[in-house]
């Protein structure tokens, strides 16, 4: 009852005050408060189900914490957008943006963005500020809200936020719109082009500089300065807005080009309305030849014709005050969808800065009645309708804001409680012996063997599954599983015998699925609902490295290895020079032949693998760094799909180091030991780690999470050059969208942070964790698997200890050659429980460089 009274008062207030006041019209429109429904939030694409459009709510997030478009935003913000449908026209004065924080797990945000808007859903206009600038400065971190005043404001029903990046990178956004409902209902006005006045050698421009419609022999189909809520000052040479030209606030005309003595304006509305009055803000600086119009005649169009009996209104001439003023023209409750008004000159100039329409209470009843916008609570209950500056409005606004904040706090507290319980449960489950037993029963073939039994890892297995975390070249679990398929069995055996370095087989080589796989997947599924499918959009390359290379110009030399997608071959490429960027120096080019690595997609690959292969191509094509392996060209026009990358002569880092021993530190008594073919110095090892850190620094500058950093995924070229490779796992940032062989996934748990394992969260900070393990691998020369004394189950248990942080967690030990300072200050800092306290790649890189020069 009380609320009804307040609403009535608001409506009355709204009918009294016809013009919008942008200073008061700044109410949150419902992204945070929930008045905007999920189905009214859409997007061009999303990375996964848990980063869909509906999670783009400021201060809420949900899902994985924000909306994130697929893979990477196109530079310049031309493609990806988050769209909000407000269900009715709104006057929008402010926008707020935030990145993906997800309680410290996320770090993606839009540093810049653009806004597009539409009133009808088909004509889209790019918002620009009063100086024509379209790009808005966005967020600097993932958590702070950055508010941006829209000057000029927007009148729209649909608004799109479009992240802008200088280079391809991953961005995520949460947004809110602020304003009030646009009760004028005006969707466009058409007027003649404004004129220019020369006043004492000063050029005074009366054009409509923010008009958002079509400008060709007059302005049509848009709104602009006459509806921007800014009223001109008494002296039209000055403006309320800083740094603009004289006459900026006004749109005006001189009578010299209007032989009929009037200027005609046409106003179109969203639907038929019952008009009470029109308020026109005009200048009356008669000392400079400007006066309020002498007469206005308005015609009304309702169904199909201009109705007879236009309304004529003559304001009382004011020859005393030169103040600018609102002139109210009564429109006599006439019904119309379009109004045409002819304003007659009473002097040389006529200047207008604002036009507002007041439709009668019948209009409010129509537009707010049940069934009109049934799904839009904004139009029904929300007091953010047409604004006046009365205290009641402010009070109601404050009340709504307080209620919204309180509800948000309650929701967040509840959510945190649920999250914590879930986490506790999850880690308890991981430690639960029953689980092992249960899984053991489910998978009869499963028999856990400790690493001490690893000697029999070479024994033949009949199972579809195989030990999943061996070291060296054939680490890639999915490929190993794939290789066990009949057609790959042969090459698998060959590879296996060649991997003399393979040290640990922590769980049963009898091939039972690892329990962690099932468990992690189920954890991820339960934490946010579903495992996302690779959201593959068609492969459309514009990058030079995405150019199609003629297959016939590739001749196969030898097989280099086998990856998750298929075999990798060394090839001679003829005429590859034409495909190389100028900045690229790959190997030696003998005449026209260049050695390249060709990665192939197995011909029987399923759709997921094919999509992931193409996705890896898309990712790689956009990466340009001396420490990232370079994609040179592709063969994707026909099957089988191939990607051509630079050839790294020394293969992967794991195998490379595995075959070396550490060069002893120089001893004064002993002659200096040569750095021969089979030894490597500590400095070289650190320089390799520094190169990896440098490559990762580049990736992190793109907000790009690798997810599978390890020595096995780094390639070694000439002179100990290191390039990071293997972007296959990066295809899905937030979800365990791994290859699932017979419903199982395989994860590199020994390299994964506790939060990646327990929560499925992959961030730059979890890449830093993996870097710590990679550094450990390097300094132990890959002679041992990380935590080789622990079984996979124990590794997972240890993860739970990292989570609980009761001092029971086991850290990888200090490698013999590793100085205390590197171990304590660098390696251990990568494994800090709090992701925020882990160093950045920038810091790691700087530290390693310092260590090299020390
Ligand atoms: P996937 O990413 O599909 O698992 P990889 O890229 O890891 O496949 O390739 C498998 C193996 O092939 C690597 O371990 C490495 O030995 C070899 N290899 C891959 N790319 C190159 C390259 N560019 N130069 C030399 N060897 C390579």
């Amino acid at each position: 009852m009380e609320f009804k009274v307040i609403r009535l008062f608001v409506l009355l207030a709204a009918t009294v005050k016809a013009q919008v006041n942008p200073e008061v019209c700044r109410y949150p429109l419902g992204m945070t408060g929930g008045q905007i429904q999920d189905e009214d939030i859409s997007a061009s694409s999303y990375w996964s189900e848990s980063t869909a459009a509906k999670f783009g709510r400021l201060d809420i997030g949900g899902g994985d914490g924000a909306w994130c478009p697929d893979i990477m935003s196109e530079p310049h913000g031309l493609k990806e957008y988050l769209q909000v449908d407000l269900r009715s026209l709104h006057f929008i004065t402010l926008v707020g943006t935030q990145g993906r924080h997800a309680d410290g797990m996320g770090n993606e945000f839009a540093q810049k963005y653009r806004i597009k808007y539409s009133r009808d859903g088909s004509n889209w206009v790019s918002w620009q500020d009063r100086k024509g600038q379209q790009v808005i400065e966005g967020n600097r971190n993932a958590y702070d809200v950055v508010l941006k005043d829209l000057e000029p404001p927007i009148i729209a029903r649909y608004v799109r936020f479009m992240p802008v990046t200088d280079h391809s990178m991953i961005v995520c956004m949460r947004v809110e719109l602020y304003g009030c409902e646009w009760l004028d209902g005006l969707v466009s006005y058409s007027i003649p082009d404004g004129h220019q006045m020369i006043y004492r050698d000063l050029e005074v421009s009366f054009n409509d500089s923010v008009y958002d419609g079509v400008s060709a022999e007059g302005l049509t189909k848009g709104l602009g300065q006459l509806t921007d809520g800014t009223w001109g000052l008494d002296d039209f040479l000055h403006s309320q807005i800083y740094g603009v030209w004289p006459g900026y606030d006004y749109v005006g005309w001189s009578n010299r080009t209007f032989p009929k003595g009037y200027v005609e304006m046409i106003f179109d509305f969203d639907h038929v309305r019952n008009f009470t009055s029109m308020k026109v803000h005009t200048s009356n600086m008669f000392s400079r030849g400007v006066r309020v119009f002498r007469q206005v005649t308005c015609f009304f169009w309702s169904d199909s014709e201009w109705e007879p009996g236009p309304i004529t209104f003559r304001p009382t001439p004011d020859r005393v005050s030169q103040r600018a003023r609102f002139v109210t023209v009564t429109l006599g409750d006439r019904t119309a969808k379009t109004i045409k008004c002819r304003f007659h000159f009473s002097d040389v100039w006529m200047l207008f800065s604002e036009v507002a329409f007041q439709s009668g209470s019948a209009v409010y009843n129509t537009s707010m009645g049940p069934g009109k916008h049934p799904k839009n609570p904004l139009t029904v209950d929300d007091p953010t309708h047409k604004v006046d500056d009365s205290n009641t409005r402010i009070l109601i606004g404050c009340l709504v804001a307080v209620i919204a904040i309180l509800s948000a706090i309650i929701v967040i507290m509840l959510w945190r409680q649920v999250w914590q319980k879930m986490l506790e449960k999850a880690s308890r489950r991981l430690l639960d012996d029953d689980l092992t037993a249960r899984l053991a029963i489910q998978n009869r073939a499963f028999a856990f063997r400790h690493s001490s039994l690893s000697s029999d890892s070479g024994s033949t297995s009949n199972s579809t599954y195989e030990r999943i975390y061996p070291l060296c070249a054939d680490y890639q679990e999915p490929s190993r599983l794939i290789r066990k398929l009949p057609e790959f069995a042969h090459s698998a055996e060959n590879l296996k015998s060649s991997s003399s370095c393979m040290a640990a087989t922590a769980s049963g080589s009898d091939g039972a699925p690892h329990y962690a796989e099932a468990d992690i997947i189920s954890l991820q599924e339960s934490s946010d609902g579903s495992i996302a499918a690779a959201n593959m959009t068609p492969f459309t390359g514009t990058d030079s490295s995405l150019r199609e290379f003629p297959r016939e110009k590739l001749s196969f030399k030898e097989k280099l290895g086998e990856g998750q997608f298929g075999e990798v071959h060394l090839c001679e490429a003829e005429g590859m020079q034409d495909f190389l960027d100028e900045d690229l120096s790959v190997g030696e080019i003998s005449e026209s032949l260049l050695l390249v690595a060709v990665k192939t997609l197995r011909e029987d690959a399923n759709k997921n693998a094919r999509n992931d292969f193409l996705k890896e191509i898309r990712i790689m094509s956009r990466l340009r760094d001396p420490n990232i392996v370079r994609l040179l060209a592709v063969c994707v026009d026909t099957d089988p799909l191939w990607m051509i990358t630079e050839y790294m002569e020394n293969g992967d880092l794991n195998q490379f180091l595995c075959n070396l021993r550490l060069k002893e530190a120089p001893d004064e008594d002993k002659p200096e030991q040569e750095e021969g073919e089979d030894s490597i110095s500590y400095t070289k090892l650190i320089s390799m780690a520094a190169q990896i850190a440098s490559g990762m620094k580049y990736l992190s500058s793109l907000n790009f999470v690798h997810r599978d950093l390890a020595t096995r995924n780094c390639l070694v070229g000439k002179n100990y050059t290191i390039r990071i490779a293997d972007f296959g796992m990066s295809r899905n940032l937030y979800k365990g969208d791994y290859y699932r062989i017979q419903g199982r996934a395989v994860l590199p748990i020994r390299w994964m942070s506790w939060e990646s394992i327990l929560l499925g969260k992959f961030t730059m900070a979890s890449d830093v964790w993996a870097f710590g393990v990679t550094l450990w691998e390097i300094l132990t020369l890959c002679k041992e698997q990380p935590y080789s004394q622990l079984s996979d189950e124990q590794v997972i248990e240890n993860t739970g200890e990292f989570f609980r942080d009761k001092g029971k967690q086991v850290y990888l030990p200090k490698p013999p050659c590793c100085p205390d300072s590197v171990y304590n200050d660098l390696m251990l800092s990568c494994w800090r429980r709090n992701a925020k306290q882990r160093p950045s790649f920038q810091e790691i890189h700087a530290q390693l460089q310092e260590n090299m020069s020390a």
Side-chain angles (χ1 to χ4, degrees), residues 191-195 251-254 258 263 265 345 348-350 352:
I191 54 171
D193 285 321
H195 290 170
V251 182
W253 303 270
S254 125
F258 293 95
V263 171
M265 300 191 195
F345 288 92
V348 182
W349 287 90
M350 218 165 28
F352 299 89

Side-chain angles (χ1 to χ4, degrees), residues 473 476 560-565 568 597 599 616 629 645-648 651-652 712-713 715 726:
Q476 289 292 319
L560 292 171
E562 186 146 349
Q564 63 181 23
F565 295 117
V568 182
K599 197 161 164 175
E616 184 169 5
V629 77
T645 65
E646 54 185 314
Y647 170 54
M648 301 294 283
D652 72 70
R712 63 182 169 271
N713 290 327
L715 296 170
D726 223 320

Side-chain angles (χ1 to χ4, degrees), residues 47-50 530-535 732 735-737 740:
W47 183 270
S48 67
E49 287 296 336
S50 59
S530 66
I531 289 194
N535 184 10
N732 189 329
K735 290 291 185 170
D737 187 19
R740 278 184 284 162

Side-chain angles (χ1 to χ4, degrees), residues 593-807:
L593 291 181
L594 177 72
L595 286 177
V596 293
V598 175
K599 197 161 164 175
T600 61
L601 177 68
R602 289 181 302 113
E603 285 189 42
D604 63 345
N606 65 17
K607 209 173 136 216
N608 269 356
R610 190 184 169 86
N611 284 347
D612 289 340
F613 190 82
L614 291 172
K615 228 165 191 177
E616 184 169 5
I617 287 179
R618 280 169 59 192
I619 292 169
M620 286 182 69
S621 73
R622 295 182 184 172
L623 302 176
R624 288 271 185 287
D625 185 81
N627 298 113
I628 303 287
V629 77
R630 185 77 75 91
L631 180 72
L632 304 178
V634 293
C635 301
V636 292
D637 274 0
T638 52
D639 282 349
L641 305 184
W642 293 347
M643 65 171 100
I644 306 170
T645 65
E646 54 185 314
Y647 170 54
M648 301 294 283
E649 292 81 351
N650 289 306
D652 72 70
L653 179 59
N654 191 286
Q655 197 139 52
F656 178 73
L657 289 179
C658 195
N659 294 321
L660 297 178
R661 61 187 168 76
L662 187 73
K663 184 187 157 198
E664 278 169 30
D667 189 328
E668 282 177 14
D669 301 335
K670 288 187 193 166
E672 172 103 35
Q673 198 184 347
E674 280 291 301
E675 189 163 72
E677 297 235 312
D678 58 350
S679 71
I680 185 166
S681 67
Y682 168 78
T683 316
K684 282 268 157 43
L685 294 177
I686 289 292
S687 100
M688 287 174 155
Q691 290 182 64
I692 298 173
S694 178
M696 291 307 294
K697 192 169 88 175
Y698 166 75
L699 291 184
S700 65
S701 75
L702 306 180
N703 275 342
F704 188 92
V705 180
H706 186 287
R707 302 203 342 167
D708 197 10
L709 182 60
T711 52
R712 63 182 169 271
N713 290 327
C714 297
L715 296 170
V716 188
K718 286 200 185 96
N719 302 325
Y720 304 95
T721 314
I722 306 287
R723 302 210 212 283
I724 300 167
D726 223 320
F727 297 88
M729 278 197 39
S730 332
R731 64 191 175 277
N732 189 329
L733 183 53
Y734 313 108
K735 290 291 185 170
D737 187 19
Y738 305 105
Y739 284 108
R740 278 184 284 162
I741 312 296
Q742 295 180 7
R744 303 275 182 243
V746 280
L747 297 169
I749 49 169
R750 289 163 199 268
W751 283 259
M752 281 163 70
S753 67
W754 71 266
E755 73 273 7
S756 301
I757 293 181
L758 291 184
L759 303 171
K761 301 289 181 189
F762 291 85
T763 61
M764 238 72 82
S766 58
D767 272 358
V768 165
W769 181 295
F771 177 84
V773 182
T774 308
L775 177 61
W776 183 89
E777 285 186 278
I778 292 174
L779 296 182
T780 53
L781 281 87
C782 299
K783 296 287 183 285
E784 206 185 321
Q785 189 187 38
Y787 312 101
S788 60
Q789 79 285 10
L790 299 186
S791 65
D792 288 345
E793 293 83 347
Q794 286 166 328
V795 170
I796 303 273
E797 276 180 31
N798 196 31
T799 300
E801 294 302 345
F802 270 106
F803 166 67
R804 273 184 291 277
D805 203 20
K806 294 273 186 313

Side-chain angles (χ1 to χ4, degrees), residues 108-113 135-141 163-167 169 171-173 701 703:
E108 301 81 19
F109 49 89
Q111 291 182 5
K112 294 177 193 159
Y113 64 97
V135 176
I136 300 173
E137 288 296 322
N139 298 89
R140 293 257 156 259
N141 57 48
V164 174
T165 55
D166 296 331
H167 40 238
M169 61 191 287
V171 292
C172 301
M173 290 185 93
S701 75
N703 275 342

Side-chain angles (χ1 to χ4, degrees), residues 114-126:
R114 296 207 276 186
I115 284 183
K116 272 196 174 185
Y117 63 93
S118 171
R119 288 185 273 277
D120 58 7
S122 58
N123 286 325
W124 289 90
V125 181
S126 293

